[in-house]
Amino acid sequence: MCVVGAGYTGLWTAYYLKRARPDLRIVVLEREFAGFGASGRNGGWVLGEIAGSRERYAARHGRPAAIALQRAMFGAVDEVVRVAAEEGIGAGLVRGGVLHVARNAAQRARLAAMVAEARCWGWTDDDLVPLPAGERDDRLRVEGATGAAWSPHCARAQPAELVRGLAGAVRDLGVRIYEGTPVVRINARRTGGPAAAVTPYGTVTAGYVLRATEGFTAALPGHRRDWLPMNSSMIVTTPLPARTWKAIGWERRELLGDMAHYYMYAQRTADDRIAFGGRGRPYRYGSRIDDGGRTEPATIDALWTMLTAMFPAVADEGQVDHAWSGVLGVPRDWCATVVLDHGTGLGHAGGYTGHGVASANLAGRTFRDLVLGEDTELTALPWVNRRVRRWEPEPLRWLGVHAMYALYRAADARETSAGSARTSSLALLADRITGH
């Protein structure tokens, strides 16, 4: 068995396969080092939400299938926390849930609609609940907040510690991880022979070659338009003093997101910093991959402005200590997939659109069952063997993505200034352009 990519998807796949079949020989090939990509550079959200649109999954497979996928995602949060504890992986995991906040009338209307729609898809008060202003501010005081809802289905993690700890657990099981080993081509089975992963140092042949390259998929020959490599950026503050946390709250370590179109995501870290993320420079022409996580000064400044607008007390007590970027994979229909072709011996998983920390765990368990030929609840989920069309050629990709985010930024500004509860037509236009 050969797995290409030592991020969350590849490592979880190797972990569960080796656990199920200890005699199985598994190698993982990685261009850089385990966790180099978005697995080590994300916002630390172990989030139990579907990576994609439940309506799109339901359109092909029916409403019960989409609901089953959602429930499986809730369970993935529990599974990540369980395995981390069992394997002694610290990673700062705290099961504090996720808090969604609204900061103007339009965002508050979308928040209420989100809760109402979730109820229609089987979510109860145990899954998502609106918070009255008093309870919201007791948890976390966000400047200008007009509404909030909380879900328990999320845990905080230090992403690099999680992926490196997982890599260690996989090695302890006897899986070989070859770092600094780029795969330049993947070949399907021919006339009953094995599948193969070709590297500059030799070729690995195996019954199955599973591609777990996610946001770096566009670098492989023949896959440039499969998934769009979207960049997301983060900053982290210096450690903040107790008086700042007294002004902010955040004692329960919830993850924080907002209802803006050009949204943010944040956490209070284990060492009392704020890690704060957003899209930054979202896409490079020609599906070029990010340059090692370096983040442009303009992006750092923009994220700092957003952070201090939400938490003014930080402006006087903290500053940006680190910044980084990561690349994630976006399919044309914005829905994740787990695919295995027993005939060719090839498989792939990803397209998590930023929800990969928990989704990759579910994908790894699903790969296990597919490879072993087992008919389970996981192999029946609607993301299995889902096929979507490719992205448009350039310059349409670049124009579409940059137009989408320009429209989202303009829509957020218009909603803030107008005070209307209606979502800006600019955001609706952006959705239509890209199919978001």
Side-chain angles (χ1 to χ4, degrees):
M1 175 69 57
C2 177
V3 178
V4 180
Y8 288 135
T9 300
L11 294 173
W12 281 121
T13 298
Y15 178 86
Y16 287 113
L17 277 168
K18 194 66 173 175
R19 279 286 193 187
R21 297 287 173 86
D23 59 338
L24 192 63
R25 293 180 62 194
I26 304 173
V27 299
V28 180
L29 305 179
E30 167 57 45
R31 174 183 292 271
E32 301 288 346
F33 55 82
F36 168 80
S39 293
R41 292 187 250 152
N42 61 79
W45 287 43
V46 190
L47 178 65
E49 293 182 8
I50 286 178
S53 164
R54 54 196 167 200
E55 289 82 6
R56 286 175 180 158
Y57 289 119
R60 292 190 184 183
H61 301 276
R63 191 180 186 87
I67 293 174
L69 179 57
Q70 178 58 80
R71 289 292 157 185
M73 281 300 306
F74 288 164
V77 180
D78 299 327
E79 179 68 2
V80 171
V81 173
R82 182 193 70 78
V83 174
E86 184 176 289
E87 298 292 348
I89 302 170
L93 281 160
V94 175
R95 188 69 184 269
V98 57
L99 189 68
H100 302 279
V101 298
R103 299 181 66 221
N104 59 43
Q107 290 184 23
R108 185 171 183 174
R110 285 197 296 277
L111 183 74
M114 180 185 77
V115 173
E117 184 180 8
R119 295 287 183 267
C120 295
W121 287 89
W123 295 47
T124 69
D125 282 344
D126 292 331
D127 301 313
L128 181 66
V129 60
L131 297 181
E135 184 177 351
R136 178 194 72 216
D137 292 342
D138 284 344
R139 287 175 174 268
L140 178 58
R141 287 174 286 283
V142 176
E143 184 72 15
T146 62
W150 178 80
S151 169
H153 300 298
C154 192
R156 183 199 72 183
Q158 208 288 3
E161 290 183 5
L162 179 59
V163 71
R164 297 300 287 178
L166 180 57
V170 168
R171 287 189 175 101
D172 289 345
L173 290 173
V175 174
R176 294 186 177 182
I177 302 175
Y178 293 95
E179 298 175 310
T181 307
V183 172
V184 297
R185 190 170 69 255
I186 298 174
N187 296 332
R189 290 175 183 161
R190 293 182 180 176
T191 62
V198 182
T199 83
Y201 316 114
T203 298
V204 177
T205 58
Y208 292 97
V209 175
L210 308 180
R211 172 167 52 82
T213 48
E214 237 276 320
F216 292 85
T217 299
L220 288 169
H223 296 285
R224 184 167 294 276
R225 289 167 51 199
D226 288 4
W227 292 337
L228 187 142
M230 187 82 73
N231 289 285
S232 198
S233 300
M234 295 201 70
I235 58 173
V236 64
T237 69
T238 51
L240 300 174
R243 60 181 173 273
T244 303
W245 291 116
K246 185 176 181 180
I248 294 173
W250 222 337
E251 295 298 324
R252 305 186 196 187
R253 268 63 172 182
E254 303 94 337
L255 283 301
L256 173 67
D258 70 358
M259 297 302 296
H261 304 291
Y262 201 80
Y263 56 87
M264 50 68 61
Y265 47 93
Q267 64 157 279
R268 177 178 178 177
T269 69
D271 56 352
D272 288 333
R273 307 166 186 260
I274 296 177
F276 191 98
R279 279 293 174 257
R281 183 182 179 186
Y283 176 70
R284 290 173 167 82
Y285 190 89
S287 291
R288 294 199 306 272
I289 305 302
D290 80 336
D291 52 353
R294 286 183 287 273
T295 306
E296 296 178 349
T299 297
I300 296 172
D301 291 344
L303 291 173
W304 177 250
T305 298
M306 292 170 65
L307 188 159
T308 53
M310 298 181 80
F311 303 110
V314 176
D316 297 328
E317 301 288 356
Q319 59 186 6
V320 176
D321 202 13
H322 302 288
W324 64 91
S325 298
V327 61
L328 52 101
V330 179
R332 189 61 185 86
D333 69 348
W334 300 76
C335 291
T337 53
V338 181
V339 174
L340 183 64
D341 187 328
H342 291 284
T344 64
L346 303 184
H348 65 267
Y352 305 128
T353 63
H355 291 184
V357 184
S359 298
N361 174 273
L362 181 59
R365 287 181 284 133
T366 304
F367 255 153
R368 173 200 60 197
D369 294 352
L370 289 169
V371 168
L372 298 180
E374 298 178 356
D375 186 9
T376 68
E377 292 181 356
L378 297 184
T379 62
L381 292 174
W383 68 344
V384 172
N385 292 328
R386 181 182 178 85
R387 308 276 182 174
V388 299
R389 68 184 177 91
R390 305 173 78 199
W391 283 88
E392 291 80 1
E394 295 291 19
L396 297 178
R397 289 200 304 282
W398 190 92
L399 290 171
V401 173
H402 283 267
M404 177 181 73
Y405 281 108
L407 288 167
Y408 282 158
R409 286 192 296 268
D412 285 331
R414 180 176 290 185
E415 289 174 1
T416 298
S417 62
S420 170
R422 296 181 60 183
T423 290
S424 169
S425 59
L426 296 177
L428 301 177
L429 175 60
D431 291 342
R432 285 196 295 271
I433 289 173
T434 59
H436 187 266

